[in-house]
């Protein structure tokens, strides 16, 4: 779930996500260089039987983008997974980058 940032004060609620992402990054870097999980790690891991891949919905933003490094200006886009939303501070952080927020599609009072 994305964390809503309301002002410029510290955001200690991000500690859990930061630790999870650090652990993920550590594991990805190990696998990248050929250090795959050993028997001890997998023996302690939960077992998933009858598994298959699927898709789940993640919070994201959609809107008309300007100044994106890979998407032409004035194109409607959907961002990667939303991590931080700070509308009063004018920004959002997705998995891949920061976005400066322009005008919302709806005024806050229009959403019910």
């Amino acid at each position: 779930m994305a964390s809503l940032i309301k002002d410029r004060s510290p955001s200690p609620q991000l500690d859990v996500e930061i630790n999870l992402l650090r652990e993920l990054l550590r594991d990805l870097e190990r696998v990248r260089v050929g250090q795959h999980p050993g028997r001890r790690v997998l023996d302690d891991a939960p077992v998933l039987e009858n598994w298959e891949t699927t898709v789940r919905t993640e919070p994201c933003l959609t809107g008309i983008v300007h100044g994106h490094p890979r998407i032409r200006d004035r194109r409607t886009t959907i961002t990667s997974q939303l991590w931080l939303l700070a509308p009063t501070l004018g920004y959002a952080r997705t998995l891949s980058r920061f976005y400066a927020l322009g005008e919302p599609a709806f005024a806050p009072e229009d959403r019910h």
Side-chain angles (χ1 to χ4, degrees), residues 18-90:
I18 289 169
N19 289 332
L20 288 171
L21 288 169
R22 279 187 181 136
E23 290 176 15
L24 173 62
L25 179 59
R26 181 199 68 215
D27 292 343
L28 291 174
E29 288 175 334
R30 286 178 177 168
V31 169
R32 178 175 53 99
V33 297
Q35 296 176 0
H36 298 273
R39 194 73 263 163
R40 183 188 306 162
V41 170
L42 295 179
D43 283 346
D44 290 341
V47 175
L48 189 61
E49 298 285 358
N50 197 30
W51 65 272
E52 60 184 297
T53 60
T54 188
V55 177
R56 69 178 191 185
T57 305
E58 297 286 343
C60 60
L61 296 174
T62 184
I64 300 169
V65 70
H66 301 275
H68 192 282
R70 293 191 306 261
I71 302 171
R72 288 186 316 199
D73 283 353
R74 297 186 299 278
R75 300 280 310 250
T76 300
T77 190
I78 298 173
T79 68
S80 58
Q81 182 181 4
L82 181 63
W83 285 87
L84 298 175
L85 179 60
T88 58
L89 300 177

Side-chain angles (χ1 to χ4, degrees), residues 4-16:
L4 180 61
I5 306 299
K6 297 179 182 178
D7 56 37
R8 294 190 178 277
S9 63
S11 302
Q13 75 272 19
L14 295 175
D15 288 345
V16 171

Side-chain angles (χ1 to χ4, degrees), residues 85-104:
L85 179 60
T88 58
L89 300 177
Y91 76 87
R93 177 59 161 99
T94 67
L95 181 61
S96 58
R97 66 183 32 85
F98 278 102
Y99 283 88
L101 297 176
E103 292 298 317

